[in-house]
């Protein structure tokens, strides 16, 4: 029964489930390993009579429900067997299968027919991987960065197989080619190549060649490990705790490997380590060369070795240490200088000489500067002194003139604007003019006693008072003495 017949039969069953429909099950394609037994099945559950037989495509019938026919024409089938356990089934059994038994076989059960292909598979030898014809075994020696062609050969297979390459179970798709199979008797030989440029990472890798294309026989795998040889990968370091230069390398092969350390491009005694005192050399450039049969690798330390190294294995990159005392001084000194500057500015603004020594007399009395008589007169006659600093009215003002320490403290009636002489009598004179007789005022000593002699030696300050004219229409102001607390006065140091 072909595919179309099966579809029709299934459709009829679905549409007419209660109608009995003849179902023919013919043989299917069957592979078998050489020497094995194969059974081609054929049945029709609704067979009610007619022909039940087997024939090879293009040839005569060689068997029916009664068995295999006998005769020279049927010699090929003499080992075959017929199994017909019921009137609805007839199976063909092929024991000890061999290549000669292969063919297309057809089963007929009236009114249906069906055919199938019978094949015999032969398992060949394990694929062999070689390099330029060398199959000395595993591992196979390759050289890093050198292009290499590997060949895989699978012999004695039926049917002919295909080849696939894998590296560490990963399929390789580049650099792969395959030759046409070559028949030999009942089997075939298949060969293919892989062109690759190995790297260090391929070292100790697993390379596989796998066969594909058979159904009964599992894929056959030929594999080997790779020995990829490469020049040394070098690393030079410095052990500060032991003051030793160390040179290490990753290389293949490691036999006959040689280490040479260079100091400022000068080769030292060959060896993997070298004691080093940088005090002897100063800053030194360090390099190491390592050589094996493949080539020479080199490494130069990124930084020169200089005196006073760190005690760690490698010189750490850390921030420089700063003395705490230096930090304290750097912070305190600017603060002190700033405070001094501020104090000096305050002293000058207040007209106080902060750093001037005190001048005292006997008994701790502060000595005051004694103005001369001419200076006192000068002060009294200054225009700006005569003018009022406070605007009480438009009337002119008269400054108060210092009185004698021995004069009467009370004013003379009838002459309020006149200063008193040392004898106590009023002094005649116009406003603003120098007053004669004032030169005879006694001077005061620091202890409060009067001293004889002329001049203004006893006058410490010129107390100048400005006040509105009171009552007297003559334009003169009234003189006030210190104990009378004038309403407004100015003290000027002479």
């Amino acid at each position: 029964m072909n595919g179309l017949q099966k579809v029709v039969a299934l459709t009829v069953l679905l549409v007419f489930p209660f109608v009995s429909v003849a179902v023919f099950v013919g043989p299917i394609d069957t592979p078998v390993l050489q020497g094995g037994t194969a059974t081609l099945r054929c049945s029709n559950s609704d067979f009610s009579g007619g022909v039940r037989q087997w024939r090879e495509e293009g040839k005569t019938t060689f068997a029916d429900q009664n068995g295999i026919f006998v005769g020279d024409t049927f010699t090929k089938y003499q080992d075959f067997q017929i199994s017909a356990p019921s009137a609805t089934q007839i199976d063909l059994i092929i024991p000890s299968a061999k290549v000669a038994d292969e063919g297309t076989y057809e089963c007929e059960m009236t009114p249906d027919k069906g055919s199938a292909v019978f094949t015999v598979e032969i398992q060949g030898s394990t694929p062999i991987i070689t390099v330029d014809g060398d199959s000395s075994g595993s591992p196979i020696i390759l050289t890093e960065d050198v292009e290499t062609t590997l060949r895989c050969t699978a012999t004695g297979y039926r049917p002919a197989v295909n080849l696939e390459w894998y590296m560490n179970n990963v399929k390789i798709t580049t650099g792969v080619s395959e030759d046409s199979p070559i028949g030999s008797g009942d089997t075939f030989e298949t060969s293919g190549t892989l062109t690759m440029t190995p790297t260090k990472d391929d070292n100790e890798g697993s390379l596989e060649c796998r066969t594909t294309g058979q159904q009964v026989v599992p894929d056959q795998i030929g594999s080997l490990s790779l020995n990829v040889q490469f020049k040394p990968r070098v690393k030079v370091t410095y052990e500060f705790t032991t003051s030793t230069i160390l040179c290490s390398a990753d290389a293949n092969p490691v036999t006959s490997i040689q280490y040479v350390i260079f100091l400022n491009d000068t080769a030292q005694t060959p060896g993997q380590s070298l004691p080093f005192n940088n005090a002897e050399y100063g800053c030194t450039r360090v390099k190491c060369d390592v050589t094996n049969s493949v080539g020479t690798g080199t490494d130069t330390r990124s930084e020169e070795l200089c005196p006073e190294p760190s005690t760690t294995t490698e010189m750490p990159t850390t921030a420089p240490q700063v003395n705490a005392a230096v930090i304290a001084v750097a912070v305190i000194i600017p603060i002190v200088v700033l405070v001094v500057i501020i104090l000096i500015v305050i002293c000058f603004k207040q007209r106080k000489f902060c750093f001037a020594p005190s001048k005292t007399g006997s008994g701790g009395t502060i000595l005051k500067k004694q103005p001369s008589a001419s200076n006192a007169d000068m002060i009294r006659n200054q225009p700006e002194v005569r003018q009022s600093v406070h605007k009480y009215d438009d009337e002119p003002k008269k400054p108060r003139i210092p009185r004698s320490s021995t004069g009467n403290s009370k004013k003379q009636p009838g002459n309020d604007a006149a200063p008193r002489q040392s004898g106590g009598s009023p002094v005649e004179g116009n406003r603003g003019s120098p007053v004669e007789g004032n030169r005879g005022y006694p001077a005061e000593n620091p202890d409060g006693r009067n001293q004889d002699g002329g001049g203004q030696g006893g006058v410490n300050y010129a107390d100048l008072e400005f006040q509105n004219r009171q009552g007297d229409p003559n334009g003169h102001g009234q003189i006030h003495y210190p104990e009378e607390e004038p309403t407004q006065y100015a003290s000027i140091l002479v």
Side-chain angles (χ1 to χ4, degrees), residues 13 30 48 63 113 148 178 181 211 258 265 294 328 330 333 400 403 477 482:
L13 287 175
T30 304
S48 58
K113 296 179 181 179
T148 304
E178 186 174 303
T211 64
Q258 185 179 32
D265 298 327
V294 178
I333 289 178
R400 187 179 65 176
R403 64 187 179 89

Side-chain angles (χ1 to χ4, degrees), residues 365 405-406 443-451:
T365 305
S405 61
T406 60
E444 293 182 355
N445 287 324
D447 56 2
R449 293 178 297 138
N450 294 339
Q451 67 179 12

Side-chain angles (χ1 to χ4, degrees), residues 361-379:
S362 60
T365 305
I366 300 176
L367 298 178
K368 299 181 180 180
K369 182 179 178 181
Q370 304 300 320
S372 64
S374 59
N375 286 341
D377 294 339
M378 185 182 300
I379 291 171

Side-chain angles (χ1 to χ4, degrees), residues 4 8 12 38 65-66 72 126 179 214 222 243 334-335 345 366 400 420 431 434 448 460 474 481:
L4 180 60
V8 172
V12 171
Q65 67 274 12
N66 296 318
D72 294 339
T126 301
D179 301 335
Q214 293 183 305
S243 299
I335 294 176
V345 171
I366 300 176
R400 187 179 65 176
R420 300 193 179 198
R431 178 182 56 186
N460 294 328
N474 60 8
Y481 295 97

Side-chain angles (χ1 to χ4, degrees), residues 59 61 81 97 100 114 135 254 267 270 438 449 467 474:
K59 298 181 181 180
T61 301
Q81 301 172 5
S135 58
V254 295
N438 287 341
R449 293 178 297 138
Q467 181 173 315
N474 60 8

Side-chain angles (χ1 to χ4, degrees), residues 385-450:
V385 172
R386 292 197 301 267
Q387 294 179 1
S388 173
V389 296
H390 293 282
K391 195 171 186 180
Y392 298 107
D393 54 26
D394 296 330
E395 300 272 343
K397 283 73 178 178
K398 184 176 180 67
R400 187 179 65 176
I401 301 174
R403 64 187 179 89
S404 170
S405 61
T406 60
N408 190 355
S409 63
K410 294 183 179 180
K411 296 175 286 185
Q412 296 295 324
N415 193 10
D416 293 337
R420 300 193 179 198
Q421 295 179 344
S422 60
S425 61
V427 180
E428 298 296 334
N430 293 332
R431 178 182 56 186
S433 63
V435 179
E436 297 295 333
N438 287 341
R439 298 180 185 274
Y441 289 171
E444 293 182 355
N445 287 324
D447 56 2
R449 293 178 297 138
N450 294 339

Side-chain angles (χ1 to χ4, degrees), residues 19-314:
V19 178
S20 178
V21 178
V23 178
F24 175 77
V25 179
I28 59 175
D29 294 345
T30 304
V32 64
L33 183 62
Q34 181 177 262
T37 298
T39 299
L40 305 181
R41 302 188 180 280
C42 184
S43 64
N44 187 344
S45 59
D46 198 35
F47 180 76
S48 58
V51 176
R52 291 187 295 166
Q53 60 185 17
W54 283 91
R55 72 170 59 88
E56 186 174 0
E57 187 177 50
K59 298 181 181 180
T60 185
T61 301
F62 62 84
D64 59 15
Q65 67 274 12
N66 296 318
I68 303 299
F69 299 160
V70 179
D72 294 339
T73 307
F74 311 108
T75 301
K76 174 183 176 180
Y77 315 108
Q78 293 305 301
D79 294 332
F80 291 5
Q81 301 172 5
I82 293 296
S83 174
S86 65
T88 60
Q89 182 176 350
I90 181 171
D91 299 335
L92 175 63
I93 301 172
I94 305 175
S96 302
K98 50 187 178 294
V99 175
D101 297 333
E102 289 184 336
T104 302
Y105 295 92
E106 181 182 85
C107 171
E108 179 181 2
M109 293 186 71
T110 305
D112 301 307
K113 296 179 181 179
S115 61
V117 176
F118 174 70
T119 58
V120 175
E121 292 186 357
I122 300 175
Q123 178 178 327
S125 60
T126 301
I128 298 175
I129 301 175
T130 61
V131 178
D132 298 329
D134 180 10
S135 58
S136 57
S138 178
I140 193 166
I141 298 176
L142 305 177
T143 302
E144 180 185 29
D145 297 332
V146 176
E147 185 177 88
T148 304
T149 299
L150 300 95
R151 179 172 291 275
C152 177
T153 303
T155 304
Y157 288 83
R158 184 180 180 89
V161 294
N162 301 112
L163 302 176
E164 293 180 348
W165 294 86
Y166 289 81
M167 174 68 78
N168 298 327
N169 290 321
V170 178
K171 187 176 181 179
I172 301 173
T173 57
T174 58
V176 175
S177 65
E178 186 174 303
D179 301 335
S180 298
I182 300 174
S184 177
D186 294 333
T187 62
F188 296 87
E189 177 183 283
T190 304
S191 181
T193 61
L194 168 65
T195 300
M196 65 178 294
T197 300
T199 66
K200 175 181 177 295
D201 294 336
D202 295 326
N203 186 41
E204 299 182 354
S206 177
L207 181 67
E208 295 178 348
C209 176
R210 302 180 184 179
T211 64
T212 62
Q214 293 183 305
Q215 300 180 57
V216 178
V217 179
D219 293 347
Q220 300 300 294
I221 300 175
S223 65
L224 51 76
S225 61
L226 300 182
N227 180 357
V228 180
Q229 298 185 345
F230 53 91
K231 68 181 183 181
R233 267 66 168 172
V234 183
K235 180 65 176 178
V236 61
T237 58
Y238 182 68
E239 181 69 38
F240 286 97
T241 56
T242 59
S243 299
T244 304
I245 298 173
L246 301 176
C247 186
S248 59
D250 180 15
N252 184 29
V254 295
T255 57
S256 303
I257 194 168
Q258 185 179 32
Y259 295 82
V260 180
I261 295 174
F262 291 79
L263 301 180
N264 292 330
D265 298 327
T266 301
Q268 307 300 305
T269 303
Q272 198 169 354
S273 63
L274 178 68
F276 176 75
N277 181 3
N278 56 7
E280 177 182 352
Y281 292 91
C283 289
T284 304
R285 185 172 59 259
V286 178
K287 183 181 74 168
C288 179
D289 286 355
V290 182
T291 304
N292 66 358
S293 60
V294 178
T296 299
T298 186
D299 180 49
T300 301
R301 195 171 184 274
S302 59
E303 296 179 356
E304 292 184 345
L305 288 177
C306 293
E308 297 182 2
S310 170
T311 56
T312 57
T313 300
E314 281 293 337

